[in-house]
Amino acid sequence: MKTRVLISTVAAILLLFAAIVAGLNAIFTVTHVRADFNAVSEEGMEEAHALREKLDAFLGKSSAFLDLDDIREVVEEYPGFRLDSIEKKYPTTVCLTVSERNEMYAFARENGGYAIVDDEGNYLYDKPENVNRVAGENILLEDFSFTTEGGIAGEYFPEVLAVSGAMKAALGAFRANVVYIRLVQNTANPRYDYFRIGMREGVILDILNPADRPAEKTALALERYLALSDEDRIFGFITVVDSPETGEILPPDYSRESSLS
């Protein structure tokens, strides 16, 4: 008798628990995936449409047990986008904001094509041609030895990003002004390595010893560049060096001929 009562009690508890779970599942069910996309290119808009369709697969799932990392993984399938925010709005909605990444740089692959890097220094994908998905071309990174496994790595990459920060501060959307950044190395003494920055009008910025204060040196070079006349921006070289004796950054020099090579 006691056994029957115990079995009946356990069965009743299990039925109650199942009813509660079913009720909660009915209440906490995803009925809306609200995705706000900030896409600026035609290709980005097409990818946003495809991503939105994939996100619809989460409709009908339990919002209580939904793992947001599953949604993050879906967004990561589209490297041209970044996930800015994501949260559950109980009981029925998941909200996320996704923005298209800003292609900025390209460097050639040994076997052909180009690795594309955004303005924050993230490797995005490879392309057969250096064509920016919005318009024009990306800034070429020439003669660097960068790898993309697990993110961009290689000598002088942090310095390239520091130079980028200075260019953005001075020029805003600087891809319109800069054609390439080239590493010129001195095999005898790395102190005499330099970045050669080709500006679209024709003038060249040479940043000597870029391992030391690259952003400060670039800011000074750009200050001199912006002070040039339209005619002088077509030709010549702006060179920024630091004194080997004191380490002081010397005032930028502008000349029609390069003092470096």
Side-chain angles (χ1 to χ4, degrees):
M1 187 67 178
K2 291 183 179 180
T3 302
R4 290 181 181 177
V5 172
L6 179 60
I7 293 173
S8 298
T9 303
V10 171
I13 292 173
L14 291 175
L15 287 172
L16 177 61
F17 178 76
I20 293 172
V21 169
L24 289 174
N25 188 58
I27 296 172
F28 292 91
T29 297
V30 177
T31 58
H32 298 88
V33 177
R34 187 173 300 155
D36 293 327
F37 288 93
N38 179 20
V40 295
S41 70
E42 182 176 347
E43 185 177 353
M45 292 177 185
E46 292 175 356
E47 290 183 354
H49 178 73
L51 176 53
R52 189 183 297 275
E53 289 186 343
K54 284 195 173 184
L55 292 173
D56 286 344
F58 293 96
L59 295 174
K61 296 194 179 287
S62 168
S63 59
F65 298 105
L66 176 65
D67 189 343
L68 294 181
D69 285 341
D70 292 339
I71 296 180
R72 292 186 179 95
E73 289 178 2
V74 171
V75 177
E76 288 171 0
E77 294 175 12
Y78 296 82
F81 285 98
R82 68 170 180 270
L83 182 62
D84 296 323
S85 66
I86 183 170
E87 62 176 330
K88 297 178 184 179
K89 294 282 190 179
Y90 287 108
T92 62
T93 304
V94 176
C95 297
L96 61 153
T97 303
V98 183
S99 296
E100 187 173 5
R101 294 184 183 274
N102 182 21
E103 289 186 6
M104 183 60 65
Y105 298 108
F107 59 88
R109 294 289 201 182
E110 290 185 1
N111 297 325
Y114 295 87
I116 307 300
V117 182
D118 74 1
D119 58 346
E120 297 177 342
N122 301 295
Y123 166 68
L124 302 182
Y125 31 64
D126 277 19
K127 286 185 174 182
E129 304 291 339
N130 177 25
V131 179
N132 185 279
R133 65 194 294 170
V134 175
E137 296 182 338
N138 296 299
I139 298 169
L140 273 175
L141 301 178
E142 300 181 346
D143 298 328
F144 292 89
S145 297
F146 295 144
T147 62
T148 58
E149 294 297 327
I152 303 291
E155 186 180 16
Y156 285 120
F157 187 62
E159 288 78 9
V160 168
L161 295 183
V163 166
S164 299
M167 290 194 292
K168 184 175 182 180
L171 303 173
F174 60 92
R175 188 171 62 85
N177 302 86
V178 182
V179 179
Y180 64 83
I181 302 175
R182 180 182 302 145
L183 173 62
V184 182
Q185 293 187 287
N186 186 302
T187 56
N189 188 347
R191 192 197 182 286
Y192 296 102
D193 291 352
Y194 61 93
F195 286 175
R196 171 156 286 181
I197 304 173
M199 306 302 285
R200 196 161 298 279
E201 298 97 330
V203 72
I204 301 294
L205 312 184
D206 284 335
I207 311 299
L208 190 72
N209 190 18
D212 181 27
R213 293 165 289 175
E216 185 177 348
K217 291 175 181 176
T218 302
L220 289 172
L222 290 171
E223 184 178 341
R224 186 73 177 88
Y225 160 78
L226 291 171
L228 293 177
S229 66
D230 290 342
E231 180 182 356
D232 285 339
R233 288 189 190 182
I234 299 175
F235 308 99
F237 297 81
I238 297 173
T239 305
V240 182
V241 303
D242 53 325
S243 169
E245 291 79 22
T246 66
E248 177 187 5
I249 300 176
L250 303 178
D253 173 65
Y254 171 77
S255 62
R256 290 299 175 94
E257 301 294 332
S258 172
S259 59
L260 298 176
S261 64

